[in-house]
Amino acid sequence: TLVLQSDATTPWGSVSVVSTGGSILDNTSDTAVNVYANQLRLNAATTAAAMGAGTNHLELEVARLSAAAGTGGMFLTEATAVTVGQTAALVVNRVKTDGAVTDSTQTDAAQSNLISGAALVLQTTAGAITTETTGAVTATGNLLLKAGGATSDLTLGAAVTNTASGGHISLDAGQDVLQNANVLAQTSARTIDVLAGGHITMAQDVSIASTNGNVLLHSVAGNVTVETITAGTAGVSISAVAATPSASAGAIVDGDADGDAEA
């Protein structure tokens, strides 16, 4: 198993892993953490490169993440909570053969977003997923964001998009899905599935949109607050299930600030 860890003192520092001609993979099929860091920058964006594999994810324990993968896809499992956003430039001193480091630094530039040339999966074992405005999530294949754990929220601060040749989208939170940016499936007949153990809340002026693909929003024990959902010629299903529907759980709510004056 590949294990990369920044300085073990608290807080952890930053790690950058870049493959300019190949993939970034876990060497064994275990669940041991591969990378511990405060900030992690992953880049394997060459055409056929992968980042983890569908049956063997890269295991992480990081606070902040950005990543780019090629057509092999991106498969990441985070042990705790993670924020997707811009990771700062990382500079290291490269030691030369004479033992000196003068004029021999290596810099990996700042990086933002999660971008995959195929499938994209980011899940936590037990922790929230938060995407900042610099943390757009884009895939050219099926896409899953899953915040595992009964108290874990999935908070979207930047767009989640399947490209014009992309796949289906699933958003899954043990607790609440808090949507503050658009979710879009561009390919015809690709579906969008939003599941929350608690509430699903769409903020003002955001949308969920498919291109003639079905859209499902399901709250297991909370409310669904709806802003704008478009599915073209396909169907939309919204369900809020609670033992006793009330103001706090089991309701489907119009989230428009302008009420019936806004479509």
Side-chain angles (χ1 to χ4, degrees):
T1 300
L2 166 69
V3 179
L4 297 176
Q5 182 168 333
S6 61
D7 188 347
T9 60
T10 302
W12 289 333
S14 300
V15 171
S16 178
V17 183
V18 179
S19 175
T20 57
S23 300
I24 301 173
L25 304 172
D26 185 349
N27 190 46
T28 58
S29 298
D30 59 21
T31 58
V33 173
N34 301 121
V35 184
Y36 296 90
N38 180 33
Q39 296 193 57
L40 174 62
R41 178 188 189 277
L42 296 171
N43 192 298
T46 53
T47 302
M51 189 170 294
T55 57
N56 188 17
H57 289 202
L58 282 178
E59 284 85 24
L60 314 174
E61 190 170 333
V62 303
R64 176 176 289 270
L65 172 69
S66 70
T71 57
M74 180 186 301
F75 304 91
L76 306 174
T77 294
E78 162 64 35
T80 57
V82 65
T83 296
V84 177
Q86 185 179 78
T87 51
L90 187 147
V91 180
V92 297
N93 292 312
R94 179 160 291 173
V95 180
K96 299 186 294 184
T97 56
D98 63 359
V101 295
T102 306
D103 300 324
S104 186
T105 58
Q106 173 66 28
T107 302
D108 285 350
Q111 178 177 272
S112 300
N113 309 320
L114 295 183
I115 302 171
S116 174
L120 188 158
V121 176
L122 172 63
Q123 66 177 0
T124 63
T125 303
I129 296 175
T130 302
T131 68
E132 296 181 339
T133 55
T134 55
V137 180
T138 306
T140 306
N142 294 329
L143 188 159
L144 170 64
L145 298 178
K146 182 175 183 178
T151 61
S152 298
D153 294 337
L154 172 58
T155 304
L156 303 178
V160 175
T161 307
N162 266 128
T163 66
S165 56
H168 306 283
I169 296 175
S170 287
L171 306 174
D172 187 341
Q175 186 163 260
D176 297 341
V177 174
L178 305 170
Q179 184 189 341
N180 302 310
N182 295 335
V183 176
L184 172 63
Q186 297 188 47
T187 304
S188 180
R190 299 299 192 264
T191 64
I192 299 174
D193 166 37
V194 184
L195 173 65
H199 302 300
I200 298 172
T201 303
M202 298 178 68
Q204 282 288 297
D205 300 322
V206 304
S207 67
I208 294 175
S210 72
T211 306
N212 305 320
N214 292 333
V215 175
L216 182 148
L217 280 69
H218 178 69
S219 166
V220 174
N223 296 330
V224 178
T225 300
V226 179
E227 177 64 3
T228 302
I229 301 172
T230 59
T233 60
V236 175
S237 175
I238 304 171
S239 57
V241 181
T244 304
S246 65
S248 61
I252 298 173
V253 181
D254 181 357
D256 294 337
D258 296 329
D260 292 339
E262 181 179 343

PDB file of all heavy atoms in Angstrom, residues 19-60:
ATOM      1  N   SER A  19       1.041  12.529 -11.666  1.00  0.00           N
ATOM      2  CA  SER A  19       1.531  11.569 -12.649  1.00  0.00           C
ATOM      3  C   SER A  19       1.390  12.204 -14.020  1.00  0.00           C
ATOM      4  O   SER A  19       0.278  12.505 -14.460  1.00  0.00           O
ATOM      5  CB  SER A  19       0.729  10.273 -12.591  1.00  0.00           C
ATOM      6  OG  SER A  19       1.139   9.397 -13.624  1.00  0.00           O
ATOM      7  N   THR A  20       2.511  12.421 -14.699  1.00  0.00           N
ATOM      8  CA  THR A  20       2.465  13.093 -15.994  1.00  0.00           C
ATOM      9  C   THR A  20       2.245  12.129 -17.152  1.00  0.00           C
ATOM     10  O   THR A  20       2.012  12.575 -18.273  1.00  0.00           O
ATOM     11  CB  THR A  20       3.767  13.865 -16.244  1.00  0.00           C
ATOM     12  OG1 THR A  20       4.877  12.959 -16.170  1.00  0.00           O
ATOM     13  CG2 THR A  20       3.941  14.976 -15.217  1.00  0.00           C
ATOM     14  N   GLY A  21       2.277  10.831 -16.878  1.00  0.00           N
ATOM     15  CA  GLY A  21       2.089   9.881 -17.970  1.00  0.00           C
ATOM     16  C   GLY A  21       1.396   8.607 -17.572  1.00  0.00           C
ATOM     17  O   GLY A  21       1.393   7.627 -18.334  1.00  0.00           O
ATOM     18  N   GLY A  22       0.800   8.582 -16.386  1.00  0.00           N
ATOM     19  CA  GLY A  22       0.159   7.357 -15.937  1.00  0.00           C
ATOM     20  C   GLY A  22      -0.833   7.621 -14.832  1.00  0.00           C
ATOM     21  O   GLY A  22      -1.230   8.758 -14.584  1.00  0.00           O
ATOM     22  N   SER A  23      -1.232   6.565 -14.140  1.00  0.00           N
ATOM     23  CA  SER A  23      -2.290   6.625 -13.140  1.00  0.00           C
ATOM     24  C   SER A  23      -1.735   6.763 -11.737  1.00  0.00           C
ATOM     25  O   SER A  23      -0.542   6.559 -11.496  1.00  0.00           O
ATOM     26  CB  SER A  23      -3.144   5.351 -13.231  1.00  0.00           C
ATOM     27  OG  SER A  23      -3.735   5.214 -14.514  1.00  0.00           O
ATOM     28  N   ILE A  24      -2.621   7.093 -10.803  1.00  0.00           N
ATOM     29  CA  ILE A  24      -2.302   7.113  -9.376  1.00  0.00           C
ATOM     30  C   ILE A  24      -3.192   6.063  -8.734  1.00  0.00           C
ATOM     31  O   ILE A  24      -4.413   6.220  -8.685  1.00  0.00           O
ATOM     32  CB  ILE A  24      -2.556   8.494  -8.753  1.00  0.00           C
ATOM     33  CG1 ILE A  24      -1.713   9.565  -9.453  1.00  0.00           C
ATOM     34  CG2 ILE A  24      -2.259   8.468  -7.248  1.00  0.00           C
ATOM     35  CD1 ILE A  24      -2.034  10.985  -9.015  1.00  0.00           C
ATOM     36  N   LEU A  25      -2.603   4.978  -8.259  1.00  0.00           N
ATOM     37  CA  LEU A  25      -3.362   3.820  -7.820  1.00  0.00           C
ATOM     38  C   LEU A  25      -2.924   3.355  -6.443  1.00  0.00           C
ATOM     39  O   LEU A  25      -1.779   3.533  -6.032  1.00  0.00           O
ATOM     40  CB  LEU A  25      -3.186   2.657  -8.810  1.00  0.00           C
ATOM     41  CG  LEU A  25      -3.542   2.934 -10.276  1.00  0.00           C
ATOM     42  CD1 LEU A  25      -3.131   1.755 -11.146  1.00  0.00           C
ATOM     43  CD2 LEU A  25      -5.023   3.223 -10.420  1.00  0.00           C
ATOM     44  N   ASP A  26      -3.858   2.697  -5.732  1.00  0.00           N
ATOM     45  CA  ASP A  26      -3.544   1.995  -4.492  1.00  0.00           C
ATOM     46  C   ASP A  26      -2.918   0.659  -4.886  1.00  0.00           C
ATOM     47  O   ASP A  26      -3.482  -0.086  -5.694  1.00  0.00           O
ATOM     48  CB  ASP A  26      -4.833   1.784  -3.690  1.00  0.00           C
ATOM     49  CG  ASP A  26      -4.582   1.161  -2.324  1.00  0.00           C
ATOM     50  OD1 ASP A  26      -3.455   0.699  -2.070  1.00  0.00           O
ATOM     51  OD2 ASP A  26      -5.523   1.117  -1.516  1.00  0.00           O
ATOM     52  N   ASN A  27      -1.778   0.354  -4.282  1.00  0.00           N
ATOM     53  CA  ASN A  27      -1.037  -0.842  -4.673  1.00  0.00           C
ATOM     54  C   ASN A  27      -1.705  -2.140  -4.225  1.00  0.00           C
ATOM     55  O   ASN A  27      -1.455  -3.199  -4.786  1.00  0.00           O
ATOM     56  CB  ASN A  27       0.388  -0.771  -4.114  1.00  0.00           C
ATOM     57  CG  ASN A  27       1.284  -1.858  -4.664  1.00  0.00           C
ATOM     58  OD1 ASN A  27       1.292  -2.110  -5.858  1.00  0.00           O
ATOM     59  ND2 ASN A  27       2.045  -2.491  -3.792  1.00  0.00           N
ATOM     60  N   THR A  28      -2.545  -2.084  -3.194  1.00  0.00           N
ATOM     61  CA  THR A  28      -3.197  -3.289  -2.688  1.00  0.00           C
ATOM     62  C   THR A  28      -4.685  -3.044  -2.494  1.00  0.00           C
ATOM     63  O   THR A  28      -5.141  -1.909  -2.422  1.00  0.00           O
ATOM     64  CB  THR A  28      -2.588  -3.724  -1.340  1.00  0.00           C
ATOM     65  OG1 THR A  28      -2.734  -2.651  -0.408  1.00  0.00           O
ATOM     66  CG2 THR A  28      -1.122  -4.082  -1.489  1.00  0.00           C
ATOM     67  N   SER A  29      -5.444  -4.113  -2.383  1.00  0.00           N
ATOM     68  CA  SER A  29      -6.905  -3.997  -2.266  1.00  0.00           C
ATOM     69  C   SER A  29      -7.351  -3.985  -0.811  1.00  0.00           C
ATOM     70  O   SER A  29      -8.267  -4.711  -0.423  1.00  0.00           O
ATOM     71  CB  SER A  29      -7.565  -5.168  -3.011  1.00  0.00           C
ATOM     72  OG  SER A  29      -7.251  -5.123  -4.374  1.00  0.00           O
ATOM     73  N   ASP A  30      -6.716  -3.148  -0.001  1.00  0.00           N
ATOM     74  CA  ASP A  30      -7.116  -3.038   1.395  1.00  0.00           C
ATOM     75  C   ASP A  30      -7.828  -1.711   1.615  1.00  0.00           C
ATOM     76  O   ASP A  30      -8.061  -0.955   0.678  1.00  0.00           O
ATOM     77  CB  ASP A  30      -5.918  -3.187   2.330  1.00  0.00           C
ATOM     78  CG  ASP A  30      -4.846  -2.128   2.063  1.00  0.00           C
ATOM     79  OD1 ASP A  30      -5.175  -1.091   1.467  1.00  0.00           O
ATOM     80  OD2 ASP A  30      -3.693  -2.341   2.458  1.00  0.00           O
ATOM     81  N   THR A  31      -8.178  -1.435   2.852  1.00  0.00           N
ATOM     82  CA  THR A  31      -8.871  -0.187   3.168  1.00  0.00           C
ATOM     83  C   THR A  31      -7.993   0.757   3.994  1.00  0.00           C
ATOM     84  O   THR A  31      -8.493   1.719   4.561  1.00  0.00           O
ATOM     85  CB  THR A  31     -10.169  -0.471   3.936  1.00  0.00           C
ATOM     86  OG1 THR A  31      -9.863  -1.203   5.141  1.00  0.00           O
ATOM     87  CG2 THR A  31     -11.137  -1.285   3.086  1.00  0.00           C
ATOM     88  N   ALA A  32      -6.690   0.475   4.052  1.00  0.00           N
ATOM     89  CA  ALA A  32      -5.777   1.338   4.796  1.00  0.00           C
ATOM     90  C   ALA A  32      -5.649   2.686   4.096  1.00  0.00           C
ATOM     91  O   ALA A  32      -5.673   2.781   2.868  1.00  0.00           O
ATOM     92  CB  ALA A  32      -4.405   0.678   4.907  1.00  0.00           C
ATOM     93  N   VAL A  33      -5.509   3.743   4.887  1.00  0.00           N
ATOM     94  CA  VAL A  33      -5.386   5.089   4.325  1.00  0.00           C
ATOM     95  C   VAL A  33      -4.065   5.211   3.571  1.00  0.00           C
ATOM     96  O   VAL A  33      -3.005   4.846   4.062  1.00  0.00           O
ATOM     97  CB  VAL A  33      -5.474   6.145   5.444  1.00  0.00           C
ATOM     98  CG1 VAL A  33      -5.167   7.539   4.902  1.00  0.00           C
ATOM     99  CG2 VAL A  33      -6.861   6.123   6.082  1.00  0.00           C
ATOM    100  N   ASN A  34      -4.149   5.748   2.355  1.00  0.00           N
ATOM    101  CA  ASN A  34      -2.964   5.932   1.522  1.00  0.00           C
ATOM    102  C   ASN A  34      -2.291   7.282   1.728  1.00  0.00           C
ATOM    103  O   ASN A  34      -1.074   7.403   1.617  1.00  0.00           O
ATOM    104  CB  ASN A  34      -3.333   5.801   0.040  1.00  0.00           C
ATOM    105  CG  ASN A  34      -3.947   4.473  -0.304  1.00  0.00           C
ATOM    106  OD1 ASN A  34      -5.061   4.416  -0.791  1.00  0.00           O
ATOM    107  ND2 ASN A  34      -3.237   3.383  -0.044  1.00  0.00           N
ATOM    108  N   VAL A  35      -3.088   8.330   1.961  1.00  0.00           N
ATOM    109  CA  VAL A  35      -2.534   9.676   2.079  1.00  0.00           C
ATOM    110  C   VAL A  35      -3.163  10.389   3.262  1.00  0.00           C
ATOM    111  O   VAL A  35      -4.394  10.487   3.352  1.00  0.00           O
ATOM    112  CB  VAL A  35      -2.773  10.516   0.807  1.00  0.00           C
ATOM    113  CG1 VAL A  35      -2.098  11.886   0.947  1.00  0.00           C
ATOM    114  CG2 VAL A  35      -2.262   9.803  -0.438  1.00  0.00           C
ATOM    115  N   TYR A  36      -2.312  10.880   4.177  1.00  0.00           N
ATOM    116  CA  TYR A  36      -2.732  11.763   5.264  1.00  0.00           C
ATOM    117  C   TYR A  36      -2.198  13.160   4.954  1.00  0.00           C
ATOM    118  O   TYR A  36      -0.999  13.319   4.690  1.00  0.00           O
ATOM    119  CB  TYR A  36      -2.147  11.312   6.600  1.00  0.00           C
ATOM    120  CG  TYR A  36      -2.582   9.969   7.107  1.00  0.00           C
ATOM    121  CD1 TYR A  36      -1.885   8.816   6.770  1.00  0.00           C
ATOM    122  CD2 TYR A  36      -3.682   9.852   7.953  1.00  0.00           C
ATOM    123  CE1 TYR A  36      -2.270   7.575   7.263  1.00  0.00           C
ATOM    124  CE2 TYR A  36      -4.071   8.615   8.451  1.00  0.00           C
ATOM    125  CZ  TYR A  36      -3.366   7.482   8.095  1.00  0.00           C
ATOM    126  OH  TYR A  36      -3.751   6.262   8.580  1.00  0.00           O
ATOM    127  N   ALA A  37      -3.054  14.184   5.005  1.00  0.00           N
ATOM    128  CA  ALA A  37      -2.582  15.544   4.755  1.00  0.00           C
ATOM    129  C   ALA A  37      -3.643  16.545   5.152  1.00  0.00           C
ATOM    130  O   ALA A  37      -4.829  16.205   5.274  1.00  0.00           O
ATOM    131  CB  ALA A  37      -2.219  15.734   3.281  1.00  0.00           C
ATOM    132  N   ASN A  38      -3.220  17.792   5.337  1.00  0.00           N
ATOM    133  CA  ASN A  38      -4.177  18.873   5.492  1.00  0.00           C
ATOM    134  C   ASN A  38      -4.762  19.218   4.130  1.00  0.00           C
ATOM    135  O   ASN A  38      -5.975  19.231   3.945  1.00  0.00           O
ATOM    136  CB  ASN A  38      -3.495  20.093   6.110  1.00  0.00           C
ATOM    137  CG  ASN A  38      -4.452  21.247   6.291  1.00  0.00           C
ATOM    138  OD1 ASN A  38      -5.627  21.056   6.549  1.00  0.00           O
ATOM    139  ND2 ASN A  38      -3.953  22.464   6.135  1.00  0.00           N
ATOM    140  N   GLN A  39      -3.887  19.491   3.139  1.00  0.00           N
ATOM    141  CA  GLN A  39      -4.317  19.726   1.765  1.00  0.00           C
ATOM    142  C   GLN A  39      -3.716  18.659   0.866  1.00  0.00           C
ATOM    143  O   GLN A  39      -2.530  18.331   0.990  1.00  0.00           O
ATOM    144  CB  GLN A  39      -3.868  21.101   1.271  1.00  0.00           C
ATOM    145  CG  GLN A  39      -4.474  22.267   2.013  1.00  0.00           C
ATOM    146  CD  GLN A  39      -4.234  23.581   1.289  1.00  0.00           C
ATOM    147  OE1 GLN A  39      -4.607  23.751   0.137  1.00  0.00           O
ATOM    148  NE2 GLN A  39      -3.591  24.515   1.979  1.00  0.00           N
ATOM    149  N   LEU A  40      -4.526  18.133  -0.054  1.00  0.00           N
ATOM    150  CA  LEU A  40      -4.054  17.119  -1.001  1.00  0.00           C
ATOM    151  C   LEU A  40      -4.403  17.551  -2.414  1.00  0.00           C
ATOM    152  O   LEU A  40      -5.566  17.819  -2.732  1.00  0.00           O
ATOM    153  CB  LEU A  40      -4.678  15.761  -0.698  1.00  0.00           C
ATOM    154  CG  LEU A  40      -4.360  14.653  -1.714  1.00  0.00           C
ATOM    155  CD1 LEU A  40      -2.856  14.374  -1.777  1.00  0.00           C
ATOM    156  CD2 LEU A  40      -5.120  13.372  -1.368  1.00  0.00           C
ATOM    157  N   ARG A  41      -3.396  17.579  -3.251  1.00  0.00           N
ATOM    158  CA  ARG A  41      -3.538  17.891  -4.679  1.00  0.00           C
ATOM    159  C   ARG A  41      -3.185  16.641  -5.465  1.00  0.00           C
ATOM    160  O   ARG A  41      -2.057  16.153  -5.392  1.00  0.00           O
ATOM    161  CB  ARG A  41      -2.586  19.036  -5.037  1.00  0.00           C
ATOM    162  CG  ARG A  41      -2.573  19.455  -6.489  1.00  0.00           C
ATOM    163  CD  ARG A  41      -1.431  20.452  -6.696  1.00  0.00           C
ATOM    164  NE  ARG A  41      -1.444  21.084  -7.998  1.00  0.00           N
ATOM    165  CZ  ARG A  41      -0.925  20.547  -9.103  1.00  0.00           C
ATOM    166  NH1 ARG A  41      -0.361  19.347  -9.060  1.00  0.00           N
ATOM    167  NH2 ARG A  41      -0.961  21.217 -10.249  1.00  0.00           N
ATOM    168  N   LEU A  42      -4.144  16.094  -6.204  1.00  0.00           N
ATOM    169  CA  LEU A  42      -3.929  14.914  -7.024  1.00  0.00           C
ATOM    170  C   LEU A  42      -4.112  15.296  -8.484  1.00  0.00           C
ATOM    171  O   LEU A  42      -5.095  15.953  -8.840  1.00  0.00           O
ATOM    172  CB  LEU A  42      -4.928  13.807  -6.675  1.00  0.00           C
ATOM    173  CG  LEU A  42      -4.870  13.213  -5.267  1.00  0.00           C
ATOM    174  CD1 LEU A  42      -6.066  12.306  -5.035  1.00  0.00           C
ATOM    175  CD2 LEU A  42      -3.565  12.438  -5.065  1.00  0.00           C
ATOM    176  N   ASN A  43      -3.194  14.851  -9.342  1.00  0.00           N
ATOM    177  CA  ASN A  43      -3.325  15.163 -10.756  1.00  0.00           C
ATOM    178  C   ASN A  43      -2.775  14.017 -11.590  1.00  0.00           C
ATOM    179  O   ASN A  43      -1.577  13.737 -11.576  1.00  0.00           O
ATOM    180  CB  ASN A  43      -2.600  16.471 -11.107  1.00  0.00           C
ATOM    181  CG  ASN A  43      -2.973  16.967 -12.490  1.00  0.00           C
ATOM    182  OD1 ASN A  43      -2.721  16.302 -13.481  1.00  0.00           O
ATOM    183  ND2 ASN A  43      -3.580  18.141 -12.550  1.00  0.00           N
ATOM    184  N   ALA A  44      -3.687  13.342 -12.275  1.00  0.00           N
ATOM    185  CA  ALA A  44      -3.331  12.305 -13.248  1.00  0.00           C
ATOM    186  C   ALA A  44      -4.252  12.516 -14.446  1.00  0.00           C
ATOM    187  O   ALA A  44      -5.081  11.681 -14.776  1.00  0.00           O
ATOM    188  CB  ALA A  44      -3.500  10.915 -12.654  1.00  0.00           C
ATOM    189  N   ALA A  45      -4.108  13.682 -15.069  1.00  0.00           N
ATOM    190  CA  ALA A  45      -5.083  14.125 -16.066  1.00  0.00           C
ATOM    191  C   ALA A  45      -4.722  13.742 -17.491  1.00  0.00           C
ATOM    192  O   ALA A  45      -5.368  14.204 -18.431  1.00  0.00           O
ATOM    193  CB  ALA A  45      -5.273  15.633 -15.962  1.00  0.00           C
ATOM    194  N   THR A  46      -3.689  12.924 -17.690  1.00  0.00           N
ATOM    195  CA  THR A  46      -3.379  12.484 -19.040  1.00  0.00           C
ATOM    196  C   THR A  46      -4.504  11.595 -19.567  1.00  0.00           C
ATOM    197  O   THR A  46      -5.300  11.055 -18.802  1.00  0.00           O
ATOM    198  CB  THR A  46      -2.051  11.710 -19.072  1.00  0.00           C
ATOM    199  OG1 THR A  46      -2.100  10.655 -18.105  1.00  0.00           O
ATOM    200  CG2 THR A  46      -0.889  12.625 -18.757  1.00  0.00           C
ATOM    201  N   THR A  47      -4.575  11.398 -20.854  1.00  0.00           N
ATOM    202  CA  THR A  47      -5.762  10.859 -21.528  1.00  0.00           C
ATOM    203  C   THR A  47      -6.334   9.605 -20.880  1.00  0.00           C
ATOM    204  O   THR A  47      -7.508   9.542 -20.555  1.00  0.00           O
ATOM    205  CB  THR A  47      -5.440  10.577 -23.003  1.00  0.00           C
ATOM    206  OG1 THR A  47      -5.005  11.785 -23.611  1.00  0.00           O
ATOM    207  CG2 THR A  47      -6.672  10.058 -23.727  1.00  0.00           C
ATOM    208  N   ALA A  48      -5.527   8.577 -20.679  1.00  0.00           N
ATOM    209  CA  ALA A  48      -6.058   7.301 -20.199  1.00  0.00           C
ATOM    210  C   ALA A  48      -5.832   7.070 -18.716  1.00  0.00           C
ATOM    211  O   ALA A  48      -6.122   5.987 -18.205  1.00  0.00           O
ATOM    212  CB  ALA A  48      -5.436   6.157 -20.998  1.00  0.00           C
ATOM    213  N   ALA A  49      -5.347   8.057 -18.003  1.00  0.00           N
ATOM    214  CA  ALA A  49      -4.960   7.861 -16.608  1.00  0.00           C
ATOM    215  C   ALA A  49      -6.165   7.684 -15.695  1.00  0.00           C
ATOM    216  O   ALA A  49      -7.243   8.228 -15.932  1.00  0.00           O
ATOM    217  CB  ALA A  49      -4.122   9.031 -16.127  1.00  0.00           C
ATOM    218  N   ALA A  50      -5.960   6.928 -14.633  1.00  0.00           N
ATOM    219  CA  ALA A  50      -6.983   6.709 -13.605  1.00  0.00           C
ATOM    220  C   ALA A  50      -6.458   7.195 -12.269  1.00  0.00           C
ATOM    221  O   ALA A  50      -5.250   7.339 -12.060  1.00  0.00           O
ATOM    222  CB  ALA A  50      -7.335   5.226 -13.516  1.00  0.00           C
ATOM    223  N   MET A  51      -7.402   7.410 -11.352  1.00  0.00           N
ATOM    224  CA  MET A  51      -7.073   7.776  -9.983  1.00  0.00           C
ATOM    225  C   MET A  51      -7.852   6.817  -9.088  1.00  0.00           C
ATOM    226  O   MET A  51      -9.060   6.963  -8.905  1.00  0.00           O
ATOM    227  CB  MET A  51      -7.464   9.230  -9.722  1.00  0.00           C
ATOM    228  CG  MET A  51      -6.986   9.781  -8.413  1.00  0.00           C
ATOM    229  SD  MET A  51      -7.281  11.562  -8.388  1.00  0.00           S
ATOM    230  CE  MET A  51      -6.175  12.112  -9.682  1.00  0.00           C
ATOM    231  N   GLY A  52      -7.172   5.801  -8.589  1.00  0.00           N
ATOM    232  CA  GLY A  52      -7.887   4.719  -7.941  1.00  0.00           C
ATOM    233  C   GLY A  52      -8.603   3.884  -8.987  1.00  0.00           C
ATOM    234  O   GLY A  52      -8.490   4.121 -10.196  1.00  0.00           O
ATOM    235  N   ALA A  53      -9.349   2.892  -8.521  1.00  0.00           N
ATOM    236  CA  ALA A  53     -10.125   2.036  -9.424  1.00  0.00           C
ATOM    237  C   ALA A  53     -11.471   1.750  -8.782  1.00  0.00           C
ATOM    238  O   ALA A  53     -11.642   1.907  -7.570  1.00  0.00           O
ATOM    239  CB  ALA A  53      -9.377   0.733  -9.697  1.00  0.00           C
ATOM    240  N   GLY A  54     -12.423   1.339  -9.601  1.00  0.00           N
ATOM    241  CA  GLY A  54     -13.780   1.133  -9.099  1.00  0.00           C
ATOM    242  C   GLY A  54     -13.866   0.181  -7.927  1.00  0.00           C
ATOM    243  O   GLY A  54     -14.687   0.356  -7.031  1.00  0.00           O
ATOM    244  N   THR A  55     -13.021  -0.850  -7.920  1.00  0.00           N
ATOM    245  CA  THR A  55     -13.027  -1.826  -6.830  1.00  0.00           C
ATOM    246  C   THR A  55     -11.882  -1.619  -5.851  1.00  0.00           C
ATOM    247  O   THR A  55     -11.735  -2.384  -4.911  1.00  0.00           O
ATOM    248  CB  THR A  55     -12.944  -3.250  -7.406  1.00  0.00           C
ATOM    249  OG1 THR A  55     -11.772  -3.367  -8.228  1.00  0.00           O
ATOM    250  CG2 THR A  55     -14.175  -3.562  -8.250  1.00  0.00           C
ATOM    251  N   ASN A  56     -11.093  -0.595  -6.063  1.00  0.00           N
ATOM    252  CA  ASN A  56      -9.938  -0.346  -5.194  1.00  0.00           C
ATOM    253  C   ASN A  56      -9.662   1.151  -5.149  1.00  0.00           C
ATOM    254  O   ASN A  56      -8.783   1.669  -5.834  1.00  0.00           O
ATOM    255  CB  ASN A  56      -8.709  -1.106  -5.693  1.00  0.00           C
ATOM    256  CG  ASN A  56      -7.542  -1.025  -4.722  1.00  0.00           C
ATOM    257  OD1 ASN A  56      -7.703  -0.684  -3.557  1.00  0.00           O
ATOM    258  ND2 ASN A  56      -6.355  -1.330  -5.207  1.00  0.00           N
ATOM    259  N   HIS A  57     -10.442   1.844  -4.332  1.00  0.00           N
ATOM    260  CA  HIS A  57     -10.313   3.294  -4.229  1.00  0.00           C
ATOM    261  C   HIS A  57      -8.991   3.700  -3.605  1.00  0.00           C
ATOM    262  O   HIS A  57      -8.385   2.938  -2.840  1.00  0.00           O
ATOM    263  CB  HIS A  57     -11.438   3.861  -3.354  1.00  0.00           C
ATOM    264  CG  HIS A  57     -12.785   3.807  -3.988  1.00  0.00           C
ATOM    265  ND1 HIS A  57     -13.818   4.621  -3.596  1.00  0.00           N
ATOM    266  CD2 HIS A  57     -13.283   3.050  -5.010  1.00  0.00           C
ATOM    267  CE1 HIS A  57     -14.898   4.364  -4.308  1.00  0.00           C
ATOM    268  NE2 HIS A  57     -14.593   3.413  -5.171  1.00  0.00           N
ATOM    269  N   LEU A  58      -8.563   4.928  -3.912  1.00  0.00           N
ATOM    270  CA  LEU A  58      -7.534   5.566  -3.099  1.00  0.00           C
ATOM    271  C   LEU A  58      -8.176   5.972  -1.779  1.00  0.00           C
ATOM    272  O   LEU A  58      -9.230   6.621  -1.770  1.00  0.00           O
ATOM    273  CB  LEU A  58      -6.982   6.806  -3.782  1.00  0.00           C
ATOM    274  CG  LEU A  58      -5.974   6.623  -4.919  1.00  0.00           C
ATOM    275  CD1 LEU A  58      -5.597   7.989  -5.487  1.00  0.00           C
ATOM    276  CD2 LEU A  58      -4.727   5.897  -4.443  1.00  0.00           C
ATOM    277  N   GLU A  59      -7.565   5.603  -0.666  1.00  0.00           N
ATOM    278  CA  GLU A  59      -8.096   5.947   0.652  1.00  0.00           C
ATOM    279  C   GLU A  59      -7.357   7.158   1.201  1.00  0.00           C
ATOM    280  O   GLU A  59      -6.122   7.186   1.223  1.00  0.00           O
ATOM    281  CB  GLU A  59      -7.978   4.767   1.620  1.00  0.00           C
ATOM    282  CG  GLU A  59      -9.012   3.671   1.405  1.00  0.00           C
ATOM    283  CD  GLU A  59      -8.619   2.669   0.341  1.00  0.00           C
ATOM    284  OE1 GLU A  59      -7.410   2.527   0.073  1.00  0.00           O
ATOM    285  OE2 GLU A  59      -9.518   2.025  -0.226  1.00  0.00           O
ATOM    286  N   LEU A  60      -8.133   8.137   1.656  1.00  0.00           N
ATOM    287  CA  LEU A  60      -7.566   9.407   2.074  1.00  0.00           C
ATOM    288  C   LEU A  60      -8.016   9.771   3.484  1.00  0.00           C
ATOM    289  O   LEU A  60      -9.074   9.341   3.933  1.00  0.00           O
ATOM    290  CB  LEU A  60      -8.020  10.530   1.124  1.00  0.00           C
ATOM    291  CG  LEU A  60      -7.935  10.272  -0.379  1.00  0.00           C
ATOM    292  CD1 LEU A  60      -8.555  11.423  -1.139  1.00  0.00           C
ATOM    293  CD2 LEU A  60      -6.487  10.040  -0.801  1.00  0.00           C
TER     294      LEU A  60
END
